[in-house]
Amino acid sequence: MKSFLHVQDIGPLEAALAEAADVKRNPFAWKSLGKNKTIILIFFNSSLRTRLSSQKAALNLGMDPIVLNVNGDSWKLETEMGVVMDGDKPEHLREAIPVIGSYCDIIGVRSFAGLKDRDFDYNETIINQFIEYSGKPVISLESGTVHPCQAFADLITIREHSTKKRPKVVMTWAPHPRALPHAVPNSFAEWMNAADVDFVITHPRGYELAPEFVGEAEVEYDQMKAFEGADFIYAKNWSSYTSYGQILSDDRSWTVSSRQMAVTDNAFFMHCLPVRRNMIVTDEVIDSPRSLVIPEAANRVVSAQVVMKRMLEEL
Ligand code: CP
């Protein structure tokens, strides 16, 4: 695997899920695979789960992880080509990336969508420069349009908790005070469309995701109708794709509460975290025994470890 951004990069899902189960059962079985190998994890944005789970996954595989916080620890990096660098960014990605590549064997990059320029974000302008100029395998740790390590962990969690061959999975928009990127809902949609689930997306009008990520999913604008008979509720806020980066609604009736959960088939509640309580979901739902937010976050180590393991095996 030369890069990990999309569900196709992991190959057949059943094999990936079986490998995830192996890794979870025996996380240290491949400790020698990463001996004398280094992964550099570059963060242009904040993180708790991705930073720690990626480091833990690397350590489980015997690798040495190095974390670089751009804008904190390093020079500020210019990301656009052709600009006159007379501002506050003294180094360009064009030099920084091959330098970073010369120090490691695998690179992970977190670079959120700026939500200003849809083409810049949707062309994956930053991570694609890492892929082009580093000469090393590159993992998206949430980039302009995708968060594949999260979606893989979500699928692992659904598989672990599903009692049905083809569960109904509903991804619902929920209100949030700030404009958020599309990477989590895009990837979740992409992975659910590839998985053996009955997938429904529900959101207010104006929050349609990019068509290439919606794929064949059912879109239902009535949240209560979407929740009927659901086995898994996946809540997330995102900003508008069509009115790019805008907040179009703060309708609190979309906050996931026991009112909506009552029409599900005793559904599990999921969210990638961090979550704003009583905006996205009520305390009652997130604190209930049907909430999977902690096991879902724990599976971030597993998904990252499978991806890194595959990359190490191909070095
Ligand atoms: N879910 C997730 O990616 O969390 P962090 O932003 O804390 O890494």
Side-chain angles (χ1 to χ4, degrees), residues 43 46-51 110 112 141-142 147 150 184 272-274 300:
F43 286 85
S46 304
S47 168
L48 187 153
R49 279 144 291 276
T50 305
R51 180 188 306 260
R110 165 159 285 198
F112 287 170
L141 302 175
E142 184 173 340
H147 195 357
Q150 180 66 54
V184 169
C272 63
L273 305 181
R300 291 292 307 277

Side-chain angles (χ1 to χ4, degrees), residues 237-251:
N237 172 269
W238 61 90
S239 57
S240 176
Y241 171 74
T242 44
S243 301
Y244 194 63
Q246 301 298 304
I247 295 176
L248 305 180
S249 170
D250 68 348
D251 185 349

Side-chain angles (χ1 to χ4, degrees), residues 4-7 43 46-47 49-51 53-54 109-110 112 124 139-154 182-188 190-191 213 234 236 272-274 300 303:
F4 183 59
L5 280 84
H6 295 287
V7 67
F43 286 85
S46 304
S47 168
R49 279 144 291 276
T50 305
R51 180 188 306 260
S53 62
S54 300
V109 181
R110 165 159 285 198
F112 287 170
E124 289 285 4
I139 303 171
S140 168
L141 302 175
E142 184 173 340
S143 48
T145 61
V146 289
H147 195 357
C149 295
Q150 180 66 54
F152 186 15
D154 296 333
H182 309 140
V184 169
N186 281 347
S187 279
F188 189 73
E190 184 182 66
W191 285 66
F213 290 103
Y234 192 90
K236 186 72 185 83
C272 63
L273 305 181
R300 291 292 307 277
S303 64

Side-chain angles (χ1 to χ4, degrees), residues 5 44-45 77-83 89 92-93 97 111-130 143-146 182 241 244:
L5 280 84
F44 288 83
N45 310 96
L77 298 176
E78 180 57 63
T79 56
E80 298 198 38
M81 298 302 286
V83 291
K89 295 174 181 163
H92 201 285
L93 276 183
I97 291 171
S111 62
F112 287 170
L115 296 179
K116 301 264 185 295
D117 179 341
R118 192 166 88 176
D119 286 343
F120 185 89
D121 294 341
Y122 271 72
N123 286 334
E124 289 285 4
T125 308
I126 293 178
I127 199 162
N128 277 336
Q129 292 187 63
F130 278 90
S143 48
T145 61
V146 289
H182 309 140
Y241 171 74
Y244 194 63

Side-chain angles (χ1 to χ4, degrees), residues 36-42 66 68 77 91-109 129-138 315:
N36 297 331
K37 301 285 190 247
T38 301
I39 184 167
I40 296 186
L41 304 165
I42 299 161
I66 298 174
L68 179 70
L77 298 176
E91 180 154 19
H92 201 285
L93 276 183
R94 188 65 188 84
E95 287 76 50
I97 291 171
V99 169
I100 292 166
S102 74
Y103 299 153
C104 67
D105 302 281
I106 300 175
I107 298 175
V109 181
Q129 292 187 63
F130 278 90
I131 292 167
E132 188 171 355
Y133 301 128
S134 70
K136 296 291 153 68
V138 175
L315 282 180

